[in-house]
Amino acid sequence: MAVALLEGLNEQQRAAVSAGPGPVLVLAGPGSGKTRVLTHRIAYLIQEIGAYPGGIVAVTFTNKAAGEMRARVENILGGRLQGLQIGTFHAICARLLRREADHTQHRHDYLIYDTDDQVALVTQALNELNLDVKKYRPRQLLDHISGAKNELIPPDKYQMKSYLGEIVRRVYERYQELLIASNARDFDDLLMDTALLLRDNDEVRQKYQRFYEFLLVDEFQDTNMAQYELVKILAKPQDNVFVVGDEDQAIYGFRGADYRNVLQFRRDFPDAKVILLEQNYRSTQIVLDAARAVIDKNTHRTPKALFTDQIGGQPVTVYEAYSEVDEAEYVIQRVDDLRKQERLDYRDIAVMYRTNAQSRALEEAFIRSNTPYRLIGGVGFYKRREIRDLLAYLRLINNPDDAVSFARVVNVPKRGIGKKSVEDLQRWALKQRYTIGQALAALAQGEPSSLPASAVRKLVDFHALLAGWRELNAVGDLSALLEDVIVRTGYTLHLHESSDRPEEAMERQENVNEFRALLKQDRAKPLGEFLEDISLVADVDTLAEEKNSVTLLTLHAAKGLEYPVVFITGIEEGLLPHLRSLDEPDGMAEERRLFYVGLTRAMRHLYLTYAFRRMTYGDSSPSLPSRFLGDIPARLVQGVSAGLANRRNYQTYQESLRWDDDSPWENKASDKEATWPDASALVDAARSRIRGQIQPFGQGAPLRYRSGLRVQHPVFGEGIVIESRRSGDDEEVTIQFSKQVGLKRLAASFANLIILEG
DNA sequence: GGGCCGTCGCTTTTT
DNA sequence: GCGACGGCCC
C-alpha cells in the first residue's frame, strides 16, 4: 500500500509526502502538484504512520478547497474519515470558539459579522462618541482596527502615538464593546480570540495541543501574524507541522498576510525539512517563460527553477482594444474561435481581471452574444438589499441582541419607528447597560423609560412580532419561518413600493424567490447553523463544476485554479498595477505577484488585453498599457499592440516625474534598463507575423502630432505627446501634462496646441 | 416621521 | 453612473 501512495509522484513530491515527523516546509511553484502532495501526505499519515484522523487538522484557503481535499483523501483511502478536520482558519476557529464559549466573552451561539455589518457598527460607535463620520471614514478606521487584530492587539493594548491613533483607540474600544453586546464577532475576531485564548489559557491550550497531533497548512505565504501564531501554538509539543507555500503567489498583503512568515518559519523551526517542488505539470514552456520574466523582476525572493516537459506551446497573444466594450467583444470572438477551431469547451476558458467592476462590460458582452458564463464574486447574492433584509430578520430571530440587524429591519418595511425612536432606544439601552434585546424586552414588560409613549407602543409591537417568530423557529422549519416573515412583514408589497422601476421590483422578487428555494433545501437545518454556513462561504466556494460555461473572476479568486485558456483583461497602468497599490509598502511587488498568479493559471494559451480608453466612474478616460506587459519577452508574444510603440517616450517621461515603483524592495536601476527593451521589436515582429489579423487603430493618413513631441496648451500648460491617432476627420492626441493635470486626450482641431519641440 | 431631491464618494483585492 | 446620506418641507 505504501507503494501505491507514492506511486506516480516525482522524487521531491515523494520526499515531501513521506517526510518523517517534525516540521516540513514545502516551497511549491505553481502547477507543481502541491494539492496532490497535501492529500497524499494526509493519507500517508493515516495509513503509514497510523495517525488517528481526528488528530489531523488541515488548513486550506477556501471552503471549496477544503471540500475537494477531503474528497480526494477519501478517494485515496477509500472510506470516510472520522474526525478528520479540514477547513479554513476562520471556520476551524469559529468552531473552536463555540466549543470553548465558556472561556470567552461570547456565548456559544455568537454570530459572525461581515464587512457591511462592521461598517454599520463602527458608524454607531462614531455617533456615540460624537465623532464626525465624514472626517473619520468608517472603512479607514476598520482598516486600522483590523490591522491591530491581525497583530493580536486588543483595544486596551492599542497604542499609536498620533491624534488619529487616539481616535482609533476610542473607536476600537467602543466597537469591540458593541460587538460583545451583540454577541457577534467579525472575521478578525475569529482568529484573534482563538489565538489569545490558546495563548493565555493553559488548560484550553494543552487540550488542543494534545488533541491535534498533526497540522498541515496550505497557501502558507498568505497567513497573517494571528494565523501564524495559531500554527506555532497548535504545532506544539511535537512540532508535526507541514506547511506548503510559494512566496511568489503572496497576494493578500492587504489583509495582513505576510509572506515573510515563510522565512520566519525557517527561523522558528530550524530543524525543518525544506523541499522544493519545481516541476510544473500545468503549463507550456512559453507560458512559464512569460510568467518567469514577470516575476523575476521582484527582488527578495527564493529563486526557483521551474521547468516543464511541455516544450514550446502557443505564443502569448496580446491585444490592444479600443475600449472595454471592444475588449469584451474581442474575448467573445476568441472564445468562439477556440470552440470552433480548437474544439475547446466553454468550461476550459477563464476571463480574469483586477477589479470586480471590470466584470460588467464583460458580462454585457456575454449576454449580448448568448455565450454562457458564470461570475465568481461581484455584487454577491448575499449583498443584495432584499436578501440582507430577510437575513437580518433571521439573524435577529436567532439572536435578540444583534444590534446591527435590529437597526437594519426595525423600520423595514416602514412601521413608524424612525431614526429618532431608534436613537432614543439606543441611548436608553446604553444608559441602563442593556443590550438591544434586553432593552426591548424591558419595554415590553412595562418598565418605565425616557421614550415617548407612542414610540414605546410601536417598539413593543415589534418585540411581540419577533417573539412570535422565535416560537415558530422552535418548530425547526426554516422554510416555514421565512415564509411567515415575508407574509407578516408584508415584504413583497414593500419590495414593489420601494422600487423605482417595475423591472427592479421583479429582479428583487426573483432574488427573494431564489433565497426561498435555498432555504427550502436546508429547511431542517438549525437556524444558527444555517447563518454560520452562509457567513463563512467565499465567492469561489460557490463555483459549481457541472455547468459548461466560461468563468469570469478576479485574479485573487483565481488562486489555486487552472484553465486551458486564460484571458487577463485590463492590463493597464492604474489598474494592474492598481493605482491604490502605489502607496502601500510592497504594493508594486504584490501587483506583480498577482499578475504572475494570473499568468500561471494558464495551461496552454494566454490572452492578454488592455484598452486604449476605459470607462471609470461614468466617463471614459485614456489609459496606458501596464509596465508589466513590457516585461514579457517579445519572442513569446504575438498580436498587435500599437500602443506599445510609444512606451519608450512614456517611460522616459514617467521617470522624469518619478512616478515609478517606489517600493523599497524594487531595484530601480535595473528596472530602468530592462523595462521596455523589446517594445518596438515586439510591435514590428507582431505586425509582420500576423498581418491583417487585427487592424491597428490610427493607420493611414499622416498625423500632425507624434509621440515624444513637446506641446503647449492654453489651459493645461506644457505637456508631452504620448500618442496620436486618427479619429474620424480629426486627430485625437493623448498628452501627459503636469502631475496635477495628468493625462488628457484632446481633439487636435479644438485644442489649440503649440508645438514646442520634438 | 416620511418623502423628495441634491451632494458626495466611490472600487482594489476577501475570509 | 450609482447608491448612501443629509437637508428640506410636508
Side-chain angles (χ1 to χ4, degrees), chain A residues 251-310:
Chain A
I251 54 173
Y252 282 91
F254 70 91
R255 69 175 207 216
D258 188 348
Y259 66 90
R260 282 171 298 189
N261 282 339
V262 175
L263 299 174
Q264 193 56 41
F265 185 88
R266 291 169 115 154
R267 262 176 252 146
D268 292 334
F269 300 92
D271 302 336
K273 197 168 209 175
V274 180
I275 295 162
L276 258 72
L277 302 184
E278 293 175 312
Q279 177 161 11
N280 175 292
Y281 295 95
R282 176 183 298 154
S283 312
T284 63
Q285 189 67 51
I286 286 197
V287 168
L288 277 192
D289 285 352
R292 186 186 313 177
V294 168
I295 201 66
D296 267 353
K297 304 201 82 205
N298 269 355
T299 48
H300 288 263
R301 46 185 290 270
T302 317
K304 270 182 254 21
L306 273 185
F307 67 97
T308 176
D309 286 342
Q310 302 177 58

Side-chain angles (χ1 to χ4, degrees), chain A residues 421-683:
Chain A
S421 303
V422 174
E423 274 173 15
D424 284 350
L425 177 70
Q426 280 168 346
R427 209 166 301 121
W428 182 66
L430 190 63
K431 208 174 103 225
Q432 305 294 119
R433 305 211 162 274
Y434 281 153
T435 64
I436 201 73
Q438 289 165 340
L440 224 46
L443 289 182
Q445 276 164 25
E447 192 172 311
S449 72
S450 48
L451 281 80
S454 65
V456 171
R457 200 175 52 245
K458 289 173 198 157
L459 283 166
V460 169
D461 285 349
F462 184 57
H463 179 255
L465 201 55
L466 287 169
W469 287 324
R470 288 187 190 120
E471 260 172 54
L472 182 58
N473 180 39
V475 177
D477 184 337
L478 279 187
S479 192
L481 179 63
L482 178 70
E483 294 306 323
D484 199 64
V485 169
I486 292 173
V487 171
R488 275 182 208 276
T489 56
Y491 198 79
T492 308
L493 184 65
H494 162 76
L495 216 58
H496 287 266
E497 283 175 351
S498 64
S499 299
D500 301 335
R501 300 165 293 114
E503 314 91 75
E504 186 189 324
M506 288 307 292
E507 213 174 288
R508 295 190 186 284
Q509 184 64 53
E510 235 357 87
N511 290 330
V512 169
N513 290 343
E514 208 175 310
F515 189 53
R516 279 175 150 146
L518 197 91
L519 255 81
K520 216 164 210 160
Q521 275 175 26
D522 272 345
R523 66 191 313 159
K525 214 183 239 182
L527 180 54
E529 206 174 295
F530 171 78
L531 292 174
E532 164 145 357
D533 285 352
I534 61 172
S535 61
L536 288 176
V537 291
D539 294 325
V540 234
D541 295 339
T542 57
L543 195 149
E545 286 313 308
E546 336 73 77
K547 254 180 74 192
N548 189 11
S549 47
V550 177
T551 307
L552 267 53
L553 74 180
T554 63
L555 288 163
H556 281 90
K559 184 160 94 158
L561 305 175
E562 63 178 22
Y563 297 88
V565 182
V566 168
F567 289 83
I568 304 180
T569 63
I571 310 178
E572 292 148 37
E573 285 296 305
L575 208 49
L576 183 66
H578 199 279
L579 207 59
R580 295 281 287 263
S581 69
L582 294 172
D583 42 48
E584 274 166 35
D586 194 40
M588 185 59 67
E590 181 148 313
E591 295 293 302
R592 197 176 272 286
R593 292 193 292 268
L594 191 54
F595 188 38
Y596 175 73
V597 166
L599 294 171
T600 53
R601 299 309 95 198
M603 295 159 82
R604 300 217 292 276
H605 205 149
L606 262 174
Y607 289 89
L608 309 178
T609 69
Y610 59 92
F612 176 62
R613 53 190 320 149
R614 184 174 294 275
M615 193 82 97
T616 9
Y617 299 139
D619 54 21
S620 181
S621 53
S623 54
L624 289 163
S626 166
R627 64 191 76 189
F628 299 154
L629 270 181
D631 295 332
I632 301 175
R635 66 178 173 84
L636 306 174
V637 175
Q638 69 173 12
V640 170
S641 36
L644 280 183
N646 297 306
R647 291 310 306 253
R648 281 180 170 169
N649 303 307
Y650 177 65
Q651 171 80 3
T652 318
Y653 190 72
Q654 288 303 321
E655 274 167 15
S656 71
L657 284 179
R658 300 196 65 92
W659 186 70
D660 209 316
D661 298 10
D662 46 12
S663 153
W665 301 107
E666 305 254 350
N667 184 335
K668 279 191 187 173
S670 74
D671 220 31
K672 259 183 206 169
E673 282 169 344
T675 303
W676 308 107
D678 291 322
S680 55
L682 168 84
V683 172

Side-chain angles (χ1 to χ4, degrees), chain A residues 64-121:
Chain A
K64 178 166 179 281
E68 274 168 14
M69 192 169 292
R70 175 178 297 277
R72 285 170 73 163
V73 176
E74 277 174 4
N75 196 27
I76 296 169
L77 293 180
R80 306 214 130 248
L81 297 155
Q82 279 289 309
L84 172 66
Q85 267 209 72
I86 306 181
T88 62
F89 272 111
H90 291 88
I92 289 168
C93 289
R95 229 172 295 143
L96 190 149
L97 288 170
R98 286 192 205 287
R99 226 177 295 130
E100 305 300 331
D102 291 349
H103 301 283
T104 72
Q105 289 182 286
H106 292 74
R107 294 196 308 268
H108 75 95
D109 60 345
Y110 72 88
L111 35 107
I112 299 165
Y113 275 0
D114 68 15
T115 318
D116 288 347
D117 302 326
Q118 288 179 277
V119 170
L121 213 60

Side-chain angles (χ1 to χ4, degrees), chain A residues 190 238 448 652 756:
Chain A
L190 296 175
Q238 305 97 326
T652 318
L756 295 174

